[in-house]
Amino acid sequence: MVQLGPNRTPDRELAAALLTGWAVCGYCGRVVQSELLSTGQVAYRCDADRRRPHLVRTAAPVDAWVRLLVLDRLERPGAPELLADPELADLDELRTRSVAVGTRLARDAAGRSRLAGELAGELAGVEAEMTSPARRELPASLTGADPVELAWDRLDTDHQRAALAALAEPVALHPVPPGRCACDPDVLRGTIVLGWR
């Protein structure tokens, strides 16, 4: 049983992982789940196979690498325009799309077809769009008034996710190759696939 302090609960620990509910498995395309391994140690996991997980990745090095990529992207032209979205998403339309795609995905119970991966990716995209009202609350400091690193680190995890969703497609995670260190920059570069908008 994981023992946590009075202000730390398993739900808060899981929610603090940046890619919770947003990253997808690089093998099957399903949204990966987060699990608490021990106090302060969260992992991203894809159990779509049931017999053997497609991947289990400690969240901390993955999140740290994604943070570096995001900070680099925020320094480049075009980032402020992506983050400053004046239009709120039509949540009713997005909910309808989410239910429709989720229903189609549930029908493909085996989840082995390429369509299942595409549907999972589409569902993740719709759910990311549903966070767009949070984008409106992103501070102006993230779009250039303050040093980007300080502005990013001041955001709570929900707003970091909203900014990431505005800047990039869902992150595809791949397993760490056997015998390689999960923190090795070459491993991180080759196993964390991030496509920018």
Side-chain angles (χ1 to χ4, degrees):
M1 178 97 184
V2 176
Q3 298 294 320
L4 299 171
N7 293 325
R8 296 173 73 179
T9 65
D11 288 343
R12 284 187 184 170
E13 295 270 343
L14 293 173
L18 179 61
L19 304 181
T20 297
W22 198 67
V24 297
C25 173
Y27 180 76
C28 71
R30 291 179 186 252
V31 176
V32 298
Q33 303 302 311
S34 299
E35 68 177 0
L36 188 63
L37 301 177
S38 63
T39 302
Q41 187 177 11
V42 175
Y44 298 120
R45 180 181 189 97
C46 177
D47 280 329
D49 194 342
R50 302 273 186 235
R51 291 172 289 177
R52 186 175 76 171
H54 290 163
L55 86 110
V56 178
R57 296 283 301 260
T58 302
V62 172
D63 289 357
W65 183 256
V66 170
R67 176 185 175 272
L68 291 175
L69 296 175
V70 168
L71 292 177
D72 178 64
R73 175 65 180 97
L74 288 170
E75 295 278 350
R76 288 193 250 145
E81 291 79 16
L82 288 171
L83 294 175
D85 183 358
E87 298 292 323
L88 287 177
D90 180 347
L91 291 179
D92 289 334
E93 189 268 335
L94 289 173
R95 282 188 197 102
T96 301
R97 276 180 54 203
S98 176
V99 169
V101 173
T103 301
R104 288 175 58 203
L105 185 58
R107 285 186 197 140
D108 184 8
R112 290 188 179 88
S113 72
R114 189 171 67 160
L115 178 62
E118 291 172 2
L119 289 172
E122 183 179 347
L123 182 59
V126 170
E127 290 172 349
E129 283 185 67
M130 291 171 75
T131 67
S132 66
R135 272 190 239 163
R136 233 180 195 207
E137 299 168 17
L138 289 171
S141 60
L142 193 59
T143 60
D146 287 342
V148 172
E149 186 172 343
L150 295 175
W152 178 262
D153 291 341
R154 280 196 303 258
L155 293 178
D156 62 35
T157 307
D158 287 338
H159 285 98
Q160 288 177 345
R161 271 191 216 109
L164 185 55
L167 293 169
E169 301 296 327
V171 177
L173 299 179
H174 298 270
V176 174
R180 300 294 303 273
C181 175
C183 298
D184 180 322
D186 288 333
V187 171
L188 292 165
R189 194 175 295 111
T191 61
I192 301 171
V193 180
L194 187 59
W196 299 114
R197 296 187 194 281

